[in-house]
Amino acid sequence: MSLDKMTLSQVATKLREREISPVELTEAVLSRIDEIEPKVCAFATVTAEMAMRSAQIATEEIAAGKYRGALHGVPIGIKDIYEVAGIPNTASSKVRADYIPERDSAVTEKLAASGAVMVGKTHTHEFAYGTITPTTRNPWDTSRTAGGSSGGTAAALAAGLIFGGMGTDTGGSIRIPSAVCGTVGLKPTYGRVSRRGVTSLSWSLDHAGPMTRTTADAAIMLNHIAGYDRFDPATVDVPVPDYTTGLTGGIRGLRIGVPTNYFTENVHPEVTAAAEAAVAELAALGAVVREVEIPMAEAIGPTEWGLLVPEATAYHQTMLRERADLYTDETRTFLEAGELVPATDYIKALRVRTLIQAAFRDLYRDIDVLVAPTVTSPALRLDDPEVTWPGGLVEGGTITYVRFSAPANVTGLPALSVPSGMTAEGLPTGIQIIGRPFDEATVLKVGHAYEECTDWPRLAPL
């Protein structure tokens, strides 16, 4: 197997056993980026010199027996809204084209401490305010979107340019690109991973999380980035388990909820078929499948937007006053719309979210995880990101992509997207596994069990 087709776990083993050095691995990755990057446009910045310095240090440390763990010497990518000292943090926007932070974000500090080698900052939709990542192409079909807003990280993973990466998820921005690019993305519980030093989109919905090629790799990355941070008031001081030790052992007797509503409306038939097949696989492994009704379904979308839009505008208000002409038309329109949301409507959205969260707590009395499609449709075309559903409803790309991912953001529950199949056109589909608060371990166990009986995570487009 060529290096670019390997998982993070596989290259970590080779590095630990000194079958390859971090310098050799990083050189191979940078060479592949030179070859493939023009086709997919995954990176906002390639940090080749920094990567080689980090790789040299990692090589010397491992040779001296100072192995730091499974990320030591592994090339990764960081979404271009995480601050890295001395490296532009543009959020893929002209508004911040000249912004160079002086210190690392909490996550990049932890990744650096683990010995990971950052090879670049990956593209996002401008300020993470969208689901397309217009600069980036889907490696499975470059006429299609890579999803968003963490599309650059997902495309880099699918194309074999990195072994792990970071995304953020406010309305689905880790899981959406993971699903349409055929990779794995984990949105942890709200408060599990610090967002200090991450450009905000919507403070009460933003989540930071890992993006990888397999669930086991996501568990490795979560081990290194999870934990309380007193400088991020949203983080919660709860124990962080070793997520890799809980992956095995099977899922017999685990209760899986399958929605009878919300996730069944206006869905591409091949997406539905893939999700049903995935549930059947889990049942064959001994899981107990129960049909459930998603509570307060009609309120989820309005609540997501009722929170996101005004919070985003509040964050951008000064920049919008001073540099409005530098925003793209799409982002500027969203931000200006946020100026029109009354405070009373925002307060109502906060209250309704509390009710939705309570209703989901009741739902999880009878199930351990919820399994459903990640997105309604495979990757949309870049030149026509819309879907016309049977019955004539025309739905824009943002709503098409966000509709199924929003529940986990509104509730703050952990959600993992894993590949679930390929359409007749050769495009990936994904399922998401949504669990209880701070129970990422069970979510990862279900994802790993499913991966073990399928070939989807082992397919590669390039």
Side-chain angles (χ1 to χ4, degrees):
M1 182 185 296
S2 60
L3 284 172
D4 59 278
K5 300 297 188 293
M6 290 186 179
T7 67
L8 189 158
S9 304
Q10 289 169 332
V11 296
T13 298
K14 288 186 172 294
L15 289 166
R16 186 187 69 241
E17 297 179 357
R18 303 184 198 177
E19 295 178 17
I20 187 171
S21 75
V23 166
E24 293 168 328
L25 182 60
T26 302
E27 286 176 339
V29 165
L30 291 173
S31 176
R32 183 164 174 83
I33 289 173
D34 286 342
E35 175 191 357
I36 302 297
E37 169 63 6
K39 301 176 185 178
V40 296
C41 301
F43 288 93
T45 305
V46 176
T47 54
E49 291 184 8
M50 173 186 280
M52 290 308 302
R53 288 196 300 270
S54 298
Q56 182 61 45
I57 292 170
T59 297
E60 293 170 359
E61 289 178 339
I62 293 173
K66 299 177 181 178
Y67 183 65
R68 302 193 204 179
L71 292 184
H72 202 177
V74 176
I76 63 169
I78 306 291
K79 185 177 180 178
D80 195 29
I81 61 173
Y82 285 81
E83 294 189 349
V84 179
I87 303 298
N89 192 48
T90 71
S92 294
S93 175
K94 293 179 181 178
V95 177
R96 281 195 171 166
D98 57 354
Y99 175 52
I100 300 178
E102 297 180 356
R103 60 174 297 180
D104 286 352
S105 69
V107 165
T108 48
E109 280 179 358
K110 289 186 174 184
L111 291 172
S114 74
V117 175
M118 187 187 78
V119 296
K121 302 288 294 295
T122 53
H123 271 304
T124 173
H125 192 289
E126 185 179 36
F127 285 106
Y129 209 165
T131 61
I132 302 298
T133 318
T135 50
T136 302
R137 306 291 184 262
N138 192 313
W140 293 93
D141 179 348
T142 54
S143 70
R144 306 273 178 164
T145 78
S149 60
S150 311
T153 303
L157 283 163
L161 308 183
I162 54 176
F163 298 98
M166 289 302 304
T168 58
D169 194 310
T170 304
S173 291
I174 286 173
R175 291 161 291 148
I176 293 165
S178 296
V180 302
C181 288
T183 56
V184 170
L186 173 64
K187 181 196 79 64
T189 309
Y190 185 80
R192 175 62 92 184
V193 177
S194 175
R195 302 161 309 167
R196 172 169 54 86
V198 179
T199 302
S200 178
L201 174 56
S202 172
W203 73 269
S204 73
L205 295 169
D206 292 340
H207 299 67
M211 301 173 69
T212 56
R213 296 182 192 167
T214 69
T215 296
D217 293 350
I220 289 171
M221 288 198 70
L222 188 60
N223 274 351
H224 287 273
I225 63 174
Y228 174 69
D229 178 5
R230 66 189 180 93
F231 296 107
D232 179 356
T235 56
V236 181
D237 191 4
V238 294
V240 178
D242 181 345
Y243 295 104
T244 59
T245 61
L247 291 175
T248 57
I251 59 170
R252 182 167 300 279
L254 204 74
R255 300 167 301 170
I256 292 177
V258 177
T260 58
N261 65 325
Y262 192 84
F263 291 95
T264 61
E265 302 157 12
N266 291 327
V267 194
H268 191 287
E270 288 179 283
V271 170
T272 298
E276 291 174 347
V279 170
E281 291 279 9
L282 294 172
L285 294 174
V288 178
V289 177
R290 296 181 175 178
E291 291 188 342
V292 297
E293 182 176 349
I294 299 300
M296 299 186 67
E298 71 289 344
I300 292 171
T303 301
E304 166 80 18
W305 291 105
L307 297 169
L308 189 157
V309 173
E311 288 184 359
T313 299
Y315 178 83
H316 284 268
Q317 197 166 51
T318 299
M319 289 185 289
L320 191 61
R321 298 283 190 272
E322 296 175 351
R323 284 166 279 173
D325 58 312
L326 296 180
Y327 288 93
T328 62
D329 290 344
E330 180 187 13
T331 303
R332 181 175 174 176
T333 297
F334 275 125
L335 292 173
E336 290 178 343
E339 301 269 19
L340 305 177
V341 178
T344 50
D345 285 356
Y346 176 65
I347 296 300
K348 289 176 183 176
L350 290 171
R351 289 173 172 171
V352 173
R353 174 169 60 186
T354 301
L355 296 176
I356 294 172
Q357 291 171 330
F360 269 76
R361 281 196 295 272
D362 291 340
L363 174 68
Y364 277 83
R365 290 175 181 172
D366 298 318
I367 61 173
D368 298 301
V369 296
L370 189 73
V371 175
T374 306
V375 291
T376 66
S377 170
L380 304 176
R381 294 191 61 84
L382 277 162
D383 59 0
D384 185 23
E386 291 185 341
V387 175
T388 301
W389 299 110
L393 173 66
V394 178
E395 194 170 58
T398 297
I399 300 301
T400 296
Y401 279 156
V402 167
R403 187 149 44 86
F404 284 178
S405 53
N409 292 95
V410 172
T411 59
L413 298 175
L416 173 77
S417 181
V418 296
S420 61
M422 300 292 292
T423 70
E425 292 184 281
L427 299 173
T429 63
I431 57 165
Q432 60 179 325
I433 302 157
I434 307 173
R436 294 191 181 94
F438 299 101
D439 192 15
E440 290 86 2
T442 298
V443 167
L444 289 163
K445 174 182 279 192
V446 175
H448 181 69
Y450 173 65
E451 283 180 348
E452 289 291 283
C453 60
T454 71
D455 290 326
W456 309 126
R458 286 170 278 279
L459 299 181
L462 297 171

